[in-house]
Amino acid sequence: MTSVLDLAPVVPVVVLKDAAGAVPLARALVAGGLPAIEVTLRTPAALDAVRAIAAEVPDAVVGTGTVLSPDAVTRSVAAGARFLVSPGWTDTLLAAMEASGVPFLPGVSTTSEVVALLERGVTEMKFFPAEAAGGIPYLRSLSSPLPRARFCPTGGITAESAPRYLALPNVSCVGGTWMVPQDAVEAGDWDRVEALAREASTLQDSRRA
């Protein structure tokens, strides 16, 4: 599979309280040009949502976020997740993600965490919580000493700030929620979600390899 970082400039971070909305939401995001969808494991409906998207929206590349344990890794893959995202990592969690057979983005917020992953051969990471952890200036400062590390910053990123992140040489995509506003999801306003996704997908032009 193509790297998660290369599927689209923006990875929607989705919190679903009701799995019934998963399929129409995923279809709206894919139609808007955002095929990679991160469903966070923050609600009881999350894994059912992943199952539904995996079964009914073949053009979506659905993954799970907030992966915190080996058990969550196992349950995610069994539900059909095609990638895994964690807010941080431990040796135990990293080993489980590596053994899962699907791509993964372990979370980092410090230089030492990045170096530790690079030592283990992991070059693709989630930078979280992006804004609180130093944002654009911090990531820019990492690009010269740690050029092998590629990031998907997530946490506090908006439609306005995303292009500035994507302009960094070590940022391949960003994670965000602005194209899946909770009021639109709860109202089933899939046209609005699709329109916001389409706007986000145009940030493709701002990306750098």
Side-chain angles (χ1 to χ4, degrees), residues 90-119:
T90 64
D91 289 336
T92 300
L93 180 57
L94 186 66
M97 290 193 292
E98 288 178 324
S100 70
V102 301
F104 58 92
L105 297 175
V108 297
S109 60
T110 69
T111 306
S112 294
E113 290 170 329
V114 176
V115 171
L117 285 177
L118 291 174
E119 281 187 351

Side-chain angles (χ1 to χ4, degrees), residues 6 10-11 18 83 125 127 129 148 150 178-179 183 188 202:
D6 295 327
V10 179
V11 177
D18 185 351
F83 65 90
M125 312 167 196
F127 181 65
R148 290 192 297 131
R150 299 174 67 204
W178 73 87
M179 76 298 302
D183 60 337
T202 65

Side-chain angles (χ1 to χ4, degrees), residues 14 21 24 26-27 29 34 44 46 53 61 75 116 127 135 155 163 166-167 170 172-173 177 198 208:
V14 176
R27 286 175 176 157
L29 291 171
L34 300 181
I53 295 170
V61 180
R75 291 185 292 113
F127 181 65
L166 290 165
N170 54 352
S172 298
C173 64
T177 61
R198 185 169 289 109
R208 294 183 179 180

Side-chain angles (χ1 to χ4, degrees), residues 23-206:
V23 168
L25 174 63
R27 286 175 176 157
L29 291 171
V30 170
L34 300 181
I37 302 169
E38 176 188 334
V39 177
T40 65
L41 299 180
R42 300 180 192 175
T43 68
L47 289 175
D48 286 338
V50 171
R51 289 187 192 93
I53 295 170
E56 299 184 45
V57 192
D59 291 333
V61 180
V62 64
T64 54
T66 322
V67 175
L68 301 176
S69 68
D71 179 62
V73 170
T74 300
R75 291 185 292 113
S76 293
V77 175
R82 295 172 60 186
F83 65 90
L84 307 166
V85 184
S86 67
W89 65 276
T90 64
D91 289 336
T92 300
L93 180 57
L94 186 66
M97 290 193 292
E98 288 178 324
S100 70
V102 301
F104 58 92
L105 297 175
V108 297
S109 60
T110 69
T111 306
S112 294
E113 290 170 329
V114 176
V115 171
L117 285 177
L118 291 174
E119 281 187 351
R120 291 161 169 80
V122 178
T123 60
E124 300 184 349
M125 312 167 196
K126 172 180 180 174
F127 181 65
F128 178 83
E131 286 288 283
I136 292 167
Y138 192 94
L139 283 169
R140 183 183 291 117
S141 71
L142 296 182
S143 61
S144 292
L146 302 172
R148 290 192 297 131
R150 299 174 67 204
F151 299 99
C152 176
T154 305
I157 297 175
T158 65
E160 291 70 34
S161 63
R164 296 193 295 275
Y165 275 95
L166 290 165
L168 297 173
N170 54 352
V171 170
S172 298
C173 64
V174 300
T177 61
W178 73 87
M179 76 298 302
V180 284
Q182 199 61 40
D183 60 337
V185 173
E186 291 177 356
D189 189 350
W190 310 125
D191 288 341
R192 180 182 172 200
V193 171
E194 181 179 339
L196 290 170
R198 185 169 289 109
E199 290 175 5
S201 72
T202 65
L203 298 175
Q204 183 91 18
D205 294 338
S206 300

